[in-house]
Amino acid sequence: MLVKQLLSMKSDNAKPWIDSATIVTIAPTTTLGEAATLLAEKRIGAVVVSTDGRRPEGILSERDIVRQLGKHGPDVLSQPVSGVMTTQVQTCTTGEDALTILERMTQGRFRHMPVVDGQGDMLGVISIGDAVSGRLKELAAEKEALTGMIMGS
């Protein structure tokens, strides 16, 4: 399964907050409090940080916010996300294999990855859950095909 298939599966879910055509982004100057509110409203685990809404400059997860709250207390919520976000954003392209992406996420211990085109513009965001779901569908299709071969259908 390819990343482009994962993106199309997300669109099929009819959930506007994960529509691959609508990428949720925030500016680097957004406060952690505003980011936390957005994550809660959209029911998402991370948001891409981007000045122009097209190219990822960073990524901010719920975990990032919780870690800062634990270290510095609630006053940190007025700080900009630029000081907390992950700046070394791992990206992928639509032609990459979903299993390879799942392995990268697992090894890198991150859960969200922007999908970019050849110019670095975002096309969508996939989560580790999307990759696992795609892999499970792939395995189910393989099982069905093998069962069909064994049964002679």
Side-chain angles (χ1 to χ4, degrees):
M1 183 171 290
L2 299 177
V3 169
K4 89 170 135 183
Q5 292 168 296
L6 293 178
L7 284 179
S8 70
M9 286 173 23
K10 288 173 67 105
S11 294
D12 292 343
N13 288 335
K15 295 178 181 173
W17 61 87
I18 60 170
D19 180 357
S20 62
T22 306
I23 304 165
V24 180
T25 64
I26 57 173
T29 56
T30 304
T31 67
L32 286 175
E34 292 167 330
T37 299
L38 177 68
L39 292 172
E41 286 174 355
K42 298 289 186 180
R43 298 179 44 113
I44 54 177
V47 63
V48 177
V49 181
S50 175
T51 302
D52 63 8
R54 293 185 1 229
R55 294 179 184 259
E57 297 168 38
I59 195 159
L60 181 78
S61 71
E62 295 167 319
R63 288 179 175 187
D64 295 328
I65 296 170
V66 169
R67 285 186 185 117
Q68 292 301 309
L69 280 169
K71 285 181 188 175
H72 306 289
D75 290 344
V76 77
L77 294 175
S78 62
Q79 298 297 314
V81 299
S82 59
V84 177
M85 68 184 188
T86 299
T87 55
Q88 300 295 320
V89 181
Q90 295 283 321
T91 63
C92 63
T93 62
T94 57
E96 290 186 66
D97 181 69
L99 183 57
T100 303
I101 298 307
L102 180 59
E103 290 170 353
R104 280 177 55 196
M105 288 177 161
T106 302
Q107 289 172 352
R109 298 179 55 93
F110 58 92
R111 296 175 164 202
H112 300 86
M113 184 181 287
V115 181
V116 297
D117 63 15
Q119 289 75 44
D121 290 340
M122 288 185 291
L123 302 171
V125 176
I126 58 171
S127 70
I128 198 163
D130 300 327
V132 168
S133 176
R135 182 66 180 143
L136 290 174
K137 288 180 188 218
E138 198 172 44
L139 289 171
E142 289 173 12
K143 177 186 176 242
E144 190 175 310
L146 288 172
T147 302
M149 288 188 331
I150 291 168
M151 301 300 239
S153 33

